[in-house]
Amino acid sequence: MNEVRVDPLTGLKTIVAGGRAERPGGWPIASADAGVVDAAGDPFAPGNEAQTPPEVAALRPDGSAPDGPGWVVRVVPNKYPALVADLDDVDGSHAPELFTATPARGAHEVIVNAPDPVTSLGSLSVEQVGLALSMWRERMRAHAADAAYVHLLVNERVEGGASLPHTHAQLYALDFVPAQVARERERFGAYAVQTMGGNLMENLVAEEVRLRERLVAIDDEVVTLSPYAARFPYQLMLAPRRPVGPFEDPSYDGAFGAAALHDALGRLRSVLGFMPPLNLWVRTAPAGAEHFCWRIDITPRLTHLAGLELGTGVGLNIVAPEAAAARLRDAAA
């Protein structure tokens, strides 16, 4: 039965219509060919450090010098940044009640997840994923005090918006809280009021574990779910079993959640037969969030966004989350 579902965390609506997967050309749009990393032209390859801006941080187990080989995770400013720390004010003289603009101030960094010439985070070992997550947390903490919101993401393959194939993450330190994040902050706050202090994520995770319909995997740290109102086929959400506000909270071991993330990506590869193009992001607590809990969203890019999704903001998912969860749950990671 087709349904319109409302995501408990975001409030966004998705039409779940599994029958549409059978229409001609329904899906997938991605192939198994992820291409290869050309080491000679890869600015993220060890030995090519001069092709990037000077590094701002790195994990170097052997104590090697900055901007040379010997690193296991490396961070550099984005060479083509969307956000810049020092910008002049914009011209606000043109009908400010209609046209508003402010300088795009902030920071935009690239975190090279590993020296390995691979196109996906899912092709790394669980230990290397743990090192990458440790650096994600370190750089998010470095910007948290000065930014209104820190958004960390991974784009993989051209279909996912990646301009370079070597696995890497990007960090945006924004001087505003995006509307979608602010909406989620409000939903967490409203739920706490309605339930006299309840945590929306904690209760959602507990109910999903009880039902087990959309549960994919669970370990001592993290629960992996196919979200109730998933907007994409095989979309996944990773959330901590015990809620803590920001992803970068110093009480976490840096690699917290690495095993679950590695497992989730392996399950996607097993079910689909290849590692799909995807977008992954960390939803952390925005500035001023008294009630919140982080999560990691993984959205494989297997179908097109078309007029319904782009014109209304309503998702259209042709694989029911329960069906996706069952296949992923049975998969060998």
Side-chain angles (χ1 to χ4, degrees):
M1 181 180 68
N2 294 356
E3 294 181 323
V4 178
R5 298 186 180 185
V6 179
D7 189 287
L9 300 175
T10 68
L12 297 175
K13 292 182 178 179
T14 296
I15 299 171
V16 178
R20 285 185 61 78
E22 305 304 321
R23 75 193 195 282
W27 77 302
I29 63 170
S31 72
D33 182 14
V36 296
V37 178
D38 175 16
D42 177 15
F44 299 156
N48 292 348
E49 288 80 7
Q51 296 183 29
T52 71
E55 68 189 47
V56 295
L59 293 178
R60 294 179 172 275
D62 61 358
S64 54
D67 296 316
W71 52 274
V72 293
V73 186
R74 185 168 183 258
V75 186
V76 299
N78 194 297
K79 196 172 183 178
Y80 306 99
L83 304 169
V84 180
D86 299 317
L87 288 175
D88 295 332
D89 288 337
V90 299
D91 181 2
S93 62
H94 303 294
E97 71 280 6
L98 294 175
F99 307 111
T100 60
T102 59
R105 293 193 179 104
H108 187 181
E109 296 180 350
V110 174
I111 303 172
V112 186
N113 293 319
D116 310 57
V118 298
T119 60
S120 176
L121 191 68
S123 297
L124 300 176
S125 68
V126 66
E127 292 79 15
Q128 185 63 57
V129 172
L131 293 173
L133 262 64
S134 294
M135 183 59 80
W136 295 1
R137 287 190 164 95
E138 179 180 321
R139 296 312 298 165
M140 292 175 77
R141 280 195 296 269
H143 292 284
D146 297 322
Y149 187 68
V150 181
H151 187 57
L152 188 137
L153 61 90
V154 174
N155 298 331
E156 293 191 350
R157 296 180 51 177
V158 172
E159 299 94 327
S163 56
L164 291 169
H166 191 131
T167 179
H168 63 283
Q170 295 185 65
L171 180 150
Y172 291 80
L174 302 165
D175 69 353
F176 62 92
V177 178
Q180 180 58 51
V181 181
R183 182 177 184 177
E184 293 176 24
R185 178 179 62 192
E186 292 168 2
R187 291 180 71 86
F188 271 86
Y191 186 85
V193 171
Q194 295 166 5
T195 59
M196 301 182 66
N199 184 283
L200 177 57
M201 181 67 82
E202 180 179 24
N203 290 353
L204 175 62
V205 165
E207 183 65 7
E208 289 285 25
V209 171
R210 185 186 71 81
L211 293 172
R212 308 190 86 80
E213 295 175 346
R214 290 170 293 274
L215 178 67
V216 174
I218 186 169
D219 63 21
D220 291 340
E221 298 177 339
V222 167
V223 173
T224 302
L225 301 169
S226 181
Y228 172 72
R231 299 169 68 80
F232 299 88
Y234 294 100
Q235 180 178 337
L236 290 171
M237 181 182 78
L238 281 65
R241 294 185 63 177
R242 290 165 288 281
V244 174
F247 177 80
E248 64 274 19
D249 191 291
S251 67
Y252 282 126
D253 170 79
F256 185 96
L261 178 55
H262 185 267
D263 175 79
L265 295 173
R267 289 174 187 273
L268 281 174
R269 179 193 286 112
S270 179
V271 167
L272 298 173
F274 63 98
M275 181 53 68
L278 58 83
N279 302 108
L280 175 158
W281 60 86
V282 175
R283 176 70 84 235
T284 191
E290 182 180 357
H291 306 280
F292 209 81
C293 179
W294 66 268
R295 67 180 189 273
I296 295 175
D297 289 315
I298 304 172
T299 58
R301 299 298 294 272
L302 299 168
T303 56
H304 291 285
L305 293 179
L308 177 72
E309 297 92 334
L310 296 173
T312 67
V314 175
L316 179 56
N317 189 352
I318 59 175
V319 179
E322 294 77 14
R327 293 167 192 153
L328 290 163
R329 192 165 51 241
D330 294 340

